[in-house]
Amino acid sequence: MARRIEIKDLDIHYGRFCAVRGVTLSVPARSVTAFIGPSGCGKSSVLRTLNRMHEVVPGARVEGNVLLDGEDIYARDIDPVAVRRTVGMVFQRPNPFPTMSIYDNVAAGLKLDKRRLKRSELDDVVLRSLRAANLWDEVRDRLHKPGASLSGGQQQRLCIARAIAVEPDVLLMDEPCSALDPISTLAIEDLIGSLKERYTIVIVTHNMQQAARVSDRTAFFTLAGVGQPGELVEDGDTQQIFGNPRDRRTEDYISGRFG
Amino acid sequence: MNATLGARRRAADRTATVLITGCFLLGLVPLVWLLYTVASKGWHMVVTSEWWLQSQRGVGFRDPGGGALHAIVGTAEQVALCAAISVPVGLLVGVYLVEYGRGTFARVTSFAVDVLTGIPSIVAALFVYAVAITTLGGQRAGWLVSLALVVLMLPVIVRSTEEMLRLVPDELREASYALGVPKWKTVVKVVVPTAFSGLVTGVLLGVARVAGETAPLLILVGYASGMNTDLFAGFQASLPGMINDQFVNLGSGGQAYGLDANGNRVPIHNFAPDRLWGAALTLIVIVLVLNLVARLAGRRART
Amino acid sequence: MAARVRVAAPEAAPAPDPAPVPPLRLTGSGTARADRLFAAVTRGAGGFVVVLVLLVAGFLAVKAAPALRVDRVNFLTSRTWDVAGHRFGIVDMLWATVTVSAVAMVIALPLAVGVALFITQYAPRRLARPVAHVVDLLAAIPSIVYGIWGILVLAPLLRPVQDALGSAHWIPLFGNEGYSTGTIFDGGVVLAVMILPIITAVARDVFERTPVAHLEAARALGATRWETIRLTVLPHGRSGIVSGAMLGLGRALGETVALYLILSKPPAGPFSPSLFAGGETFASKIASNAAEFSTPTQTGAYLAAGLVLFALTFVVNAVARWIARRGDAA
């Protein structure tokens, strides 16, 4: 059940340092939105506010609103744990749980929930998630081997399977291919293409070709200088951003004239 | 000029090599020597079955026989009670310091652990004495030893727990949070299992550290030569206590003579030294095995 | 394995659902309460440790106070320790504690630095780790075993050393007091063996962390191995050596059972500064006089002695931590 996201006038602070200022942005459901921009522009920080993961960092706080289908996830009575159940995340480096098998990794989110699933239901979810992550054929005969025994690209798809096993509505990806080789990257990009039928996907990437290949919409962030807060420069259809950017800074960055 | 300087530098280098290697060899001497002494003098005791199956009840220093079972049982009980308290509390404190600890109270806690780390065993024992016996009017007993050992074991567990939990990458915590797993469950089901073998190492090293501790025994419980399985009443033996008891008996034997069947004076064998070294060997073996197992578990943790 | 996953339909992802979007459920489901509870439990455990430390210091102080009030001599400056006569002076204990620890430090410190240098700079890589473990084993041996080995095996063999040094009896420290074994010197040597692995472990740690760039710079200048050590490893490791030494000292000051077994009780008499005399440290005196804990006042006297020992080790350990932390920061 993909959902749309609206970010309204969002500031992010780490302690007294203001990392991001004044971001307003809409992410439509069932689409892939790419966040691009130079290092330190705050694109990952913005991504992490979409499921309140930034709260893991001591001293981090936000001002502004993030609405999920119109509901503010920073409202008073919202449970961040419930938010993360609805908005899943895949990280830069594959991080399967080292003590768990492939099967248990995929089932982890469900097993650690309060709900008790029957074994057959769990089997079902694991199978569906691994299929959806294009990993089933590669691991079907070794589901009970440790997750760490897979290659980097397989591990990352395992992490995607783990994330979608809890049936989130939104999937956040923080540079999911930056630690992978080109072939694994291609596999993940294909996967993103098929996942957007069911999920709203937001992906942070350093790789502009990747953003152009996988995303429907693109948001470009930058910062005025070191120690300055990051800001959203413009967002729009990917074709428009890459083909006909409105802002000079976007054009400079995309054409490689920047950093 | 250059040549002489070169020669002098070479000589200095060679001297340093000899001295440093010498330091190392000299440092190993006591270990080898001590292990050899204890093993060679205690071996013939610990290879008998009665050593492991009998106590010293009614066995004087001139009498052969008897074993160390009472002491082994006493040590096991005292250490087990100590671990039953120290391990859960120590794990929780370690979890607090790594996963929750921020701000003043965490710093105070960490400082308190530092202070505990440095407390001499006799001071821990005096503290328990002052509370349980002077203030509350209790009787000396094995469980008081356990309490004193808690003071000594707790900081070991806390520090090793801290170290092991810090080795768990934050990415795993984040992966768990991102699945909508609450923090406490992340700690219990993801962080702790990942660090598990390291935590086992810490616990075993902590147990090894207190198993040979003697000072609390001297003031918190009397030595019983017979079996007493009751931690909460009466005198109770333990391996260090048995070593100490036999040490006291050493002097009694020196030139003891008895009469044989024909009325002739014959020297009597004093069994105290045998039992002393036997108990020491038993204790060392237990402690070293614990250390070895701990290191093996620790090695698995790192791969 | 795979057989355990039973599913009828080969179809992986269910078709996009035409059903209406279900409502969002983001409000608390009790997890926040469980989280707070767990955090509170761990914080409570932390509080337990804090309270424990306060209780240790508090109980010793409160229970020692009555004894100090009836003390007929100056607690800190008198040599007399006559519990029944309410004379509690700690000078002799302090002297024995300090000298026995000093002997241990003089022997153990250079040796430990040498061992640490050998393990980190000289031993072949493959050998270094097992060797380090063997040295660590020294630390695992219970102190009562060191005690019996020290007095029964080592001390008689230290006699010649004692006699040789004793020939310089005009030095007060080496005066002959008629002891054969069980002297401060014997105790110090055994203590040295006991604290050697502690100092070695800390020194080894900092030596291993000598920046590779510094080592390479020294070697590029054509320095010999010893010169490299002198120019880079030792300066870099100084704070580690000092904090390791302080940790070892803290252990030595508080060591109980080994010294309780080794040291001979000196008879009452004039003060002797000699290392070749018996003596009683704070810890060994407390341990050997548990039988005198008969009245609150008498017990209090020993608690006061324990409190002094606690304070002593606390200060030494605090200095060790302070130096180590400063070294880490640098």
Side-chain angles (χ1 to χ4, degrees):
Chain A
M1 270 61 64
R3 297 180 194 272
R4 68 179 192 283
I5 306 168
E6 287 149 87
I7 305 170
K8 288 185 179 163
D9 209 13
L10 183 80
D11 296 350
I12 306 174
H13 301 266
Y14 294 108
R16 263 187 283 163
F17 173 63
C18 179
V20 175
R21 179 167 292 159
V23 173
T24 298
L25 176 68
S26 286
V27 175
R30 287 182 215 284
S31 69
V32 178
T33 301
F35 287 1
I36 62 170
S39 297
C41 67
K43 55 193 189 299
S44 284
S45 295
V46 173
L47 187 79
R48 293 167 72 92
T49 59
L50 303 185
N51 67 345
R52 298 183 63 166
M53 277 299 285
H54 69 286
E55 290 173 5
V56 173
V57 180
R61 68 198 154 79
V62 301
E63 286 159 28
N65 307 94
V66 175
L67 308 181
L68 202 58
D69 267 6
E71 189 157 353
D72 188 352
I73 64 169
Y74 286 97
R76 269 190 69 92
D77 55 343
I78 299 293
D79 180 3
V81 171
V83 171
R84 291 177 198 141
R85 216 155 248 286
T86 311
V87 184
M89 190 163 194
V90 175
F91 297 83
Q92 193 167 354
R93 277 195 304 185
N95 52 3
F97 298 125
T99 52
M100 297 184 194
S101 66
I102 293 170
Y103 181 99
D104 287 339
N105 259 288
V106 179
L110 295 170
K111 277 187 165 175
L112 297 178
D113 190 18
K114 271 186 300 200
R115 289 179 289 156
R116 282 265 163 262
L117 283 182
K118 277 198 294 248
R119 183 78 197 188
S120 60
E121 291 173 303
L122 213 53
D123 286 348
D124 206 38
V125 173
V126 169
L127 175 93
R128 262 190 292 132
S129 306
L130 284 171
R131 279 236 168 102
N134 290 341
L135 190 60
W136 171 250
D137 292 332
E138 292 159 66
V139 301
R140 60 189 307 163
D141 51 353
R142 46 175 171 153
L143 287 176
H144 296 274
K145 293 269 166 54
S149 66
L150 298 173
S151 74
Q154 290 173 324
Q155 284 187 19
Q156 193 62 302
R157 278 179 283 150
L158 177 63
C159 292
I160 294 174
R162 180 177 66 186
I164 59 185
V166 295
E167 294 174 356
D169 298 337
V170 179
L171 207 52
L172 309 177
M173 297 185 162
D174 190 356
E175 299 187 40
C177 303
S178 65
L180 304 181
D181 61 86
I183 293 184
S184 306
T185 300
L186 206 62
I188 304 271
E189 287 181 7
D190 284 350
L191 177 56
I192 292 171
S194 67
L195 288 174
K196 77 171 178 189
E197 290 168 17
R198 302 193 61 215
Y199 305 99
T200 305
I201 295 177
V202 184
I203 176 171
V204 165
T205 177
H206 257 118
N207 180 332
M208 279 179 287
Q209 285 81 18
Q210 182 172 64
R213 279 194 302 267
V214 303
S215 71
D216 305 307
R217 295 179 61 80
T218 297
F220 172 67
F221 294 77
T222 192
L223 72 174
V226 176
Q228 300 286 316
E231 55 183 315
L232 175 67
V233 176
E234 63 175 305
D235 68 298
D237 280 352
T238 298
Q239 286 190 333
Q240 175 253 312
I241 294 283
F242 279 90
N244 183 21
R246 283 187 295 265
D247 194 292
R248 176 71 194 273
R249 290 170 291 177
T250 316
E251 192 179 349
D252 284 352
Y253 183 75
I254 286 167
S255 57
R257 254 173 281 169
F258 182 102
Chain B
M1 177 68 191
N2 233 340
T4 49
L5 189 67
R8 196 183 300 158
R9 287 175 56 192
R10 250 201 317 279
D13 190 44
R14 210 169 300 137
T15 314
T17 304
V18 169
L19 278 178
I20 287 170
T21 313
C23 276
F24 169 69
L25 294 176
L26 197 58
L28 279 189
V29 166
L31 177 68
V32 176
W33 187 3
L34 184 147
L35 289 180
Y36 172 77
T37 305
V38 176
S40 65
K41 294 185 182 227
W43 183 253
H44 69 280
M45 298 301 290
V46 304
V47 291
T48 63
S49 61
E50 66 180 352
W51 179 259
W52 302 96
L53 298 174
Q54 292 181 13
S55 73
Q56 293 285 323
R57 175 180 295 281
V59 184
F61 62 88
R62 294 173 188 177
D63 309 321
L69 181 64
H70 63 309
I72 295 168
V73 168
T75 291
E77 286 188 3
Q78 289 167 9
V79 170
L81 176 58
C82 163
I85 301 169
S86 312
V87 172
V89 176
L91 285 176
L92 284 173
V93 177
V95 166
Y96 169 67
L97 288 176
V98 176
E99 307 290 337
Y100 294 94
R102 315 231 181 291
T104 315
F105 187 66
R107 272 200 302 278
V108 170
T109 305
S110 189
F111 176 72
V113 175
D114 277 340
V115 175
L116 275 190
T117 308
I119 285 189
S121 52
I122 192 76
V123 172
L126 273 181
F127 162 65
V128 173
Y129 191 96
V131 176
I133 298 178
T134 310
T135 308
L136 301 175
Q139 290 292 315
R140 300 201 290 163
W143 72 286
L144 295 182
V145 175
S146 302
L147 292 188
L149 296 181
V150 167
V151 177
L152 304 173
M153 186 172 182
L154 197 52
V156 179
I157 305 285
V158 174
R159 285 290 174 243
S160 74
T161 302
E162 259 191 285
E163 193 184 327
M164 292 305 146
L165 294 186
R166 283 191 208 284
L167 287 180
V168 175
D170 275 339
E171 285 129 54
L172 295 181
R173 296 182 177 88
E174 294 194 343
S176 178
Y177 298 149
L179 291 173
V181 178
K183 182 163 182 175
W184 74 273
K185 234 172 200 173
T186 299
V187 172
V188 174
K189 295 287 176 78
V190 175
V191 178
V192 167
T194 304
F196 188 75
S197 47
L199 298 178
V200 171
T201 301
V203 168
L204 290 175
L205 289 179
V207 167
R209 157 98 165 77
V210 298
E213 196 53 70
T214 317
L217 301 167
L218 297 173
I219 62 178
L220 291 173
V221 71
Y223 173 77
S225 58
M227 179 76 84
N228 173 16
T229 54
D230 189 352
L231 272 173
F232 298 93
F235 289 8
Q236 190 177 38
S238 58
L239 282 167
M242 180 175 173
I243 296 173
N244 186 49
D245 178 62
Q246 299 299 327
F247 185 81
V248 174
N249 281 340
L250 283 183
S252 351
Q255 298 95 358
Y257 291 88
L259 302 180
D260 68 7
N262 303 324
N264 299 319
R265 266 164 56 95
V266 290
I268 288 175
H269 183 71
N270 180 353
F271 288 92
D274 301 307
R275 291 177 190 141
L276 172 89
W277 295 111
L281 180 58
T282 312
L283 182 57
I284 283 193
V285 166
I286 290 174
V287 168
L288 291 192
V289 165
L290 282 171
N291 266 275
L292 226 61
V293 174
R295 298 218 188 279
L296 288 180
R299 190 166 309 162
R300 275 199 27 221
R302 237 141 259 168
T303 52
Chain C
M1 305 279 185
R4 225 186 285 166
V5 179
R6 292 175 308 270
V7 69
E11 163 74 327
D17 44 311
V21 177
L24 262 177
R25 289 196 36 228
L26 299 179
T27 45
S29 46
T31 55
R33 191 144 31 102
D35 252 345
R36 270 200 301 277
L37 185 68
F38 186 72
V41 169
T42 67
R43 197 174 311 115
F48 174 78
V49 174
V50 176
V51 170
L52 184 62
V53 167
L54 292 177
L55 280 180
V56 171
F59 256 95
L60 292 182
V62 168
K63 295 290 162 186
L68 293 180
R69 268 200 294 276
V70 300
D71 195 351
R72 296 204 185 122
V73 294
N74 188 311
F75 183 67
L76 294 174
T77 60
S78 168
R79 285 190 55 225
T80 315
W81 187 270
D82 167 19
V83 172
H86 288 187
R87 290 184 174 81
F88 320 123
I90 58 168
V91 168
D92 277 6
M93 278 186 261
L94 187 62
W95 174 256
T97 305
V98 169
T99 48
V100 81
S101 303
V103 170
M105 294 300 293
V106 166
I107 299 170
L109 185 54
L111 212 55
V113 172
V115 172
L117 283 177
F118 181 83
I119 292 173
T120 57
Q121 311 295 321
Y122 286 83
R125 282 235 161 269
R126 229 155 15 105
L127 208 66
R129 197 142 279 283
V131 159
H133 283 324
V134 169
V135 176
D136 286 344
L137 276 190
L138 268 174
I141 295 172
S143 51
I144 190 166
V145 179
Y146 278 112
I148 56 171
W149 173 76
I151 188 64
L152 298 176
V153 180
L154 184 64
L157 294 166
L158 287 175
R159 218 30 232 286
V161 183
Q162 184 175 320
D163 290 342
L165 290 173
S167 62
H169 52 80
W170 38 269
I171 301 174
L173 279 180
F174 295 160
N176 185 348
E177 297 289 333
Y179 285 82
S180 56
T181 59
T183 61
I184 295 280
F185 178 72
D186 293 341
V189 173
V190 176
L191 266 190
V193 177
M194 297 176 68
I195 64 176
L196 177 75
I198 297 172
I199 309 179
T200 303
V202 180
R204 204 176 69 206
D205 247 23
V206 288
F207 291 168
E208 264 167 6
R209 289 202 308 255
T210 310
V212 178
H214 292 194
L215 291 174
E216 283 172 349
R219 287 198 197 108
L221 291 173
T224 62
R225 177 138 63 175
W226 168 239
E227 285 161 348
T228 309
I229 290 171
R230 230 185 40 202
L231 290 172
T232 62
V233 179
L234 288 181
H236 176 264
R238 193 160 34 195
S239 70
I241 296 172
V242 177
S243 77
M246 297 303 279
L247 279 182
L249 181 61
R251 174 76 202 276
L253 292 171
E255 174 51 41
T256 311
V257 174
L259 296 178
Y260 158 80
L261 294 179
I262 292 170
L263 293 181
S264 300
K265 237 180 246 186
F271 176 78
S272 163
S274 176
L275 300 180
F276 302 126
E280 285 183 291
T281 67
F282 285 109
S284 75
K285 182 138 194 149
I286 296 166
S288 51
N289 289 297
E292 288 192 4
F293 295 5
S294 47
T295 68
T297 312
Q298 297 198 8
T299 311
Y302 289 100
L303 293 176
L307 194 60
V308 175
L309 176 60
F310 183 27
L312 214 56
T313 53
F314 172 78
V315 169
V316 167
N317 284 312
V319 171
R321 281 195 302 274
W322 180 67
I323 292 170
R325 220 156 278 167
R326 223 182 37 166
D328 281 349

